[in-house]
Amino acid sequence: MLSTAIVIATTLVCIALILNLWRLFIGPGRPDRILALDTMYINSIALIILFGIYSGTTLYFEAALLIAMLGFVSTAAMCKYILRGDLIE
C-alpha cells in the first residue's frame, strides 16, 4: 500500500516539476521565474524524500536538507539582485 502511494505521489510531483519548468521558461516576468525556480527546489526536495522513504534509508533526508538550505539562500540572493541590482552592498 505504501509503495503504491509513493509511486502516485512521485508521479504527481514530477507533473508539478514539468509545470514549474514551463513557468520558468515562459514566465512573463522575473518574479514569476524566481518563484518557479523556488517551487522547483521544493518539488525536488519532495522527490528526494519520497525516494528516501521508498528505499528505506536516511541518507536522502540529509541531502534534502542540504538542497533546502541552498534553495533558500539562492532565492534570497536572486530577490536581492532584482530589487537592488547587486548582491554586495
Side-chain angles (χ1 to χ4, degrees):
M1 178 81 175
L2 182 63
S3 62
T4 305
I6 289 175
V7 169
I8 292 170
T10 303
T11 304
L12 293 175
V13 171
C14 286
I15 291 170
L17 271 171
I18 292 169
L19 292 173
N20 286 329
L21 191 64
W22 177 73
R23 174 56 74 187
L24 184 67
F25 289 132
I26 308 295
R30 287 183 189 166
D32 291 323
R33 291 180 176 156
I34 290 175
L35 185 63
L37 191 63
D38 189 46
T39 309
M40 286 179 74
Y41 280 126
I42 294 169
N43 287 338
S44 65
I45 291 167
L47 278 177
I48 291 171
I49 289 176
L50 283 170
F51 186 70
I53 292 171
Y54 184 74
S55 64
T57 62
T58 59
L59 180 67
Y60 296 105
F61 300 122
E62 295 173 5
L65 182 63
L66 181 65
I67 290 174
M69 289 188 296
L70 290 174
F72 173 74
V73 169
S74 66
T75 301
M78 281 190 265
C79 290
K80 185 175 178 183
Y81 177 74
I82 284 179
L83 287 177
R84 297 185 183 173
D86 61 347
L87 292 177
I88 301 171
E89 297 178 22

